[in-house]
Amino acid sequence: MKDDIKILEVLEYLPKHIGAMIAKLPEKILMDAEEIRLRLAKPLCVSGSNAELFIAANGYAVSAAEEAYFVSEDDLKRALQLTCNYSLYSVEEELRNGFITVSGGHRVGVCGRTVVDGGKVKTLKDISYMNFRVAKQVLGASDKVSGYLLQPPDSIYNTLIISPPQCGKTTLLRDLVRRLSSGSKDIPFKGMKISLVDERSEIAACSMGIPRNDVGIRTDVLDGCPKAVGIIMVIRSMSPEIVATDEIGRSEDADAITAAVNAGVKVITTIHGSNITDFLNKQDLKRIQKGVFERYVVLSRKKGVGTLETVLDGEFNALYERSKEHL
Amino acid sequence: MMLKIVGGLLVISASGLLGMVYSYKLSLRYRELANLRRLMQMLETEVTYGATPLPAALFSVSKKAEGPIGSFFCSISRCLSDRSFYTVREAWNDSAESILTQSSLKRTDIDLIKSFGSILGCSDREDQKKHFQLFYIQLSHQEDAAMEEIKRSAKMYRSLGFLLGIAVFVVLA
């Protein structure tokens, strides 16, 4: 049972007394918890899919913020040291992006004062906000969707997953990759060669080059590489049938995706947004708004994380709509 | 008479030996400083080129040396891996006090080494490199001082030992 509670792995990166407070919470809350938030001189907070709890110094969840344990500057400094394994220089690149991936695929978001050099973020200092996000691999998250994406007998449609943050976009992508790579006996599908460009190490959760999550048997993971460069690299080097990547948004990403599609490689990727219009409004992605993707999957958390809202085809015709299902 | 001569020889050789031991200790300090420089250079490579996290970097460096400096690095690495300290500075200072004070290093050397603990791991690679360079400059001051001391005093201690022995013998005889 204890092994199922992923949040316990994260506690290792918190100062001992804070870890002890959180470990005292009831198992049910821990199972559900998704984030632990440390904010300077603000209450310690644990949040899950349906609740936000303040934690008191004795380890009890309290509803009133005043009764909670207030995070000190020292706590944050220590948590940062533990998170980066006492070596800020080893997470230089990651700090620039605002988060550090720790072993187990958990992600620690940091916020503080930015040092800017020539318009680019050089580093972050005076870290005063930290967000420990618990990574949970949900095997079977793609059960409902995958049927819409397969192109019998042995190919798939270029797919874009559209979802607001925290709605299970990465979880869905990870499970899709696992399923498409390993193949499946229930729906006769033989499995395809996938190159996973994992810029932020959160899909495969590689640590020292070894994926900590199950991403399938035919998957090659390019860990920590910028998407635009990585996509071109893997197409040349690994001869993939599918390229999968997370959170596109810049125009270089659009160029790389166009290059992949033109090379005859299938693409699965994700983007932030809450409906198809959000995607069509993104100026940087003009090039890939028409004729590239053949399936759009829209997620929300209306019925819990990873609620499948709609599936659209390349012409934006609905193949599935949650709102109509119950009529 | 025979007894007197034997006793005298014993006194002289004992104090002579004392002088030699003392001058040897002086050269030990220099050797340890040189050893420290070598290990710090290895650590610098691990940090600035390899970006290896400190617990691993310190451990791999510590295996390449014997003596107090090696065990000093090894001890910090252990302290950090088992999380007995929250910051590098605390682990570094604690190990310096418990291990380096047993060595031939002087207080000023140890203070210099300790000052580096508050910098290590606390900034990006570029900045770490600068601090390493600064440390080498400060270290070479200590090395120069140690060398100077060897030149000036080592010979003196040796002859002083013998002379003291002879003086004691003369007084007692």
Side-chain angles (χ1 to χ4, degrees):
Chain A
M1 190 65 182
K2 279 275 175 198
D3 286 346
D4 295 343
I5 309 178
K6 292 281 189 199
I7 198 170
L8 296 180
E9 294 174 19
V10 178
L11 299 187
E12 199 184 312
Y13 299 98
L14 289 165
K16 278 186 190 130
H17 61 284
I18 294 185
M21 285 176 214
I22 293 170
K24 278 188 204 153
L25 290 171
E27 220 160 74
K28 197 168 166 298
I29 297 178
L30 291 177
M31 287 288 274
D32 184 53
E34 286 168 357
E35 292 183 342
I36 303 170
R37 284 186 173 273
L38 267 59
R39 298 183 176 101
L40 182 58
K42 297 285 186 302
L44 174 66
C45 179
V46 171
S47 57
S49 54
N50 34 33
E52 183 190 48
L53 299 166
F54 296 119
I55 312 299
N58 54 15
Y60 287 112
V62 289
S63 48
E66 310 77 70
E67 291 166 29
Y69 172 81
F70 280 68
V71 178
S72 72
E73 197 180 339
D74 241 23
D75 292 339
L76 278 159
K77 272 193 187 146
R78 290 171 172 185
L80 183 65
Q81 286 260 346
L82 293 174
T83 307
C84 70
N85 207 354
Y86 308 98
S87 318
L88 268 184
Y89 58 81
S90 67
V91 293
E92 224 176 300
E93 277 302 318
E94 290 165 286
L95 261 191
R96 258 172 230 167
N97 294 323
F99 62 86
I100 300 161
T101 308
V102 295
S103 133
H106 311 292
R107 206 169 146 185
V108 184
V110 291
C111 231
R113 208 163 75 80
T114 45
V115 180
V116 179
D117 185 26
K120 282 197 169 169
V121 176
K122 191 157 178 266
T123 187
L124 279 172
K125 56 189 248 182
D126 307 333
I127 307 282
S128 26
Y129 308 93
M130 292 181 84
N131 177 15
F132 292 77
R133 296 173 61 180
V134 183
K136 291 178 186 165
Q137 176 165 30
V138 185
L139 297 178
S142 65
D143 283 358
K144 214 170 167 186
V145 186
S146 54
Y148 294 101
L149 313 180
L150 300 177
Q151 190 180 23
D154 55 2
S155 186
I156 61 149
Y157 293 106
N158 292 324
T159 303
L160 180 68
I161 300 167
I162 305 172
S163 148
Q166 283 267 296
C167 289
K169 154 173 57 51
T170 307
T171 311
L172 174 60
L173 178 68
R174 186 186 299 126
D175 202 54
L176 268 177
V177 169
R178 178 187 66 87
R179 174 176 292 243
L180 297 176
S181 158
S182 296
S184 169
K185 284 201 184 97
D186 329 331
I187 31 162
F189 188 75
K190 72 170 177 56
M192 296 170 79
K193 288 185 283 176
I194 302 187
S195 287
L196 180 60
V197 182
D198 197 1
E199 179 169 0
R200 315 194 185 201
S201 311
E202 54 174 350
I203 309 172
C206 283
S207 136
M208 318 298 271
I210 304 158
R212 302 291 149 162
N213 287 326
D214 180 7
V215 287
I217 55 172
R218 294 182 188 82
T219 307
D220 308 308
V221 184
L222 183 63
D223 187 38
C225 182
K227 283 180 284 286
V229 188
I231 291 173
I232 306 294
M233 261 172 79
V234 292
I235 292 174
R236 290 189 187 139
S237 59
M238 304 308 286
S239 72
E241 290 165 308
I242 304 176
V243 169
T245 181
D246 205 3
E247 289 179 24
I248 56 162
R250 291 171 305 173
S251 56
E252 303 98 274
D253 301 343
D255 294 343
I257 284 171
T258 318
V261 171
N262 289 342
V265 178
K266 297 292 177 185
V267 174
I268 306 179
T269 185
T270 71
I271 193 169
H272 278 151
S274 48
N275 51 46
I276 186 79
T277 333
D278 287 348
F279 165 60
L280 294 175
N281 285 341
K282 294 206 196 293
Q283 292 301 321
D284 283 346
L285 302 178
K286 270 269 176 300
R287 298 189 56 173
I288 53 168
Q289 277 163 357
K290 257 212 155 319
V292 172
F293 293 107
E294 297 152 317
R295 289 290 183 271
Y296 298 92
V297 177
V298 183
L299 299 179
S300 77
R301 56 190 308 163
K302 287 186 184 136
K303 295 257 170 192
V305 172
T307 307
L308 181 61
E309 281 292 321
T310 45
V311 180
L312 305 172
D313 70 4
E315 309 295 315
F316 309 123
N317 303 312
L319 301 175
Y320 169 87
E321 271 180 88
R322 185 179 65 89
S323 50
K324 288 194 181 150
E325 200 179 41
H326 301 289
L327 290 178
Chain B
M1 191 59 198
M2 197 57 190
L3 211 64
K4 240 182 204 174
I5 292 172
V6 171
L9 279 177
L10 272 177
V11 167
I12 293 168
S13 54
S15 61
L17 214 63
L18 208 71
M20 273 156 90
V21 165
Y22 208 83
S23 70
Y24 176 69
K25 257 193 122 176
L26 276 181
S27 74
L28 262 189
R29 177 187 171 210
Y30 184 77
R31 277 189 222 177
E32 267 161 24
L33 285 174
N35 203 4
L36 175 68
R37 174 185 283 271
R38 195 169 62 87
L39 288 199
M40 288 300 276
Q41 275 165 343
M42 285 187 216
L43 185 65
E44 186 193 349
T45 315
E46 290 278 0
V47 167
T48 57
Y49 294 102
T52 319
L54 281 178
L58 286 165
F59 184 69
S60 78
V61 168
S62 77
K63 285 203 295 193
K64 290 170 189 148
E66 286 151 11
I69 308 283
S71 32
F72 169 58
F73 277 48
C74 187
S75 152
I76 304 167
S77 164
R78 210 178 35 244
C79 285
L80 293 180
S81 311
D82 61 22
R83 313 244 141 137
S84 21
F85 292 98
Y86 282 120
T87 58
V88 178
R89 189 171 57 87
E90 287 164 358
W92 186 277
N93 284 353
D94 184 78
S95 301
E97 286 301 339
S98 62
I99 292 172
L100 293 184
T101 42
Q102 313 288 320
S103 73
S104 318
L105 292 174
K106 292 206 163 175
R107 193 70 236 173
T108 50
D109 306 332
I110 296 174
D111 286 342
L112 170 67
I113 296 170
K114 275 171 77 175
S115 73
F116 195 72
S118 57
I119 292 153
L120 192 62
C122 289
S123 55
D124 60 12
R125 283 186 277 177
E126 203 181 316
D127 192 62
Q128 294 281 299
K129 201 177 168 74
K130 281 181 202 156
H131 282 293
F132 270 102
Q133 298 307 328
L134 185 66
F135 181 78
Y136 297 143
I137 295 173
Q138 288 167 322
L139 188 61
S140 59
H141 283 301
Q142 298 302 114
E143 284 170 334
D144 288 348
M147 197 54 183
E148 192 64 27
E149 211 170 353
I150 292 174
K151 278 187 192 151
R152 188 159 32 84
S153 319
K155 214 171 174 185
M156 188 189 78
Y157 279 127
R158 247 174 290 158
S159 31
L160 207 67
F162 281 108
L163 290 176
L164 198 77
I166 291 166
V168 168
F169 175 67
V170 168
V171 170
L172 288 182

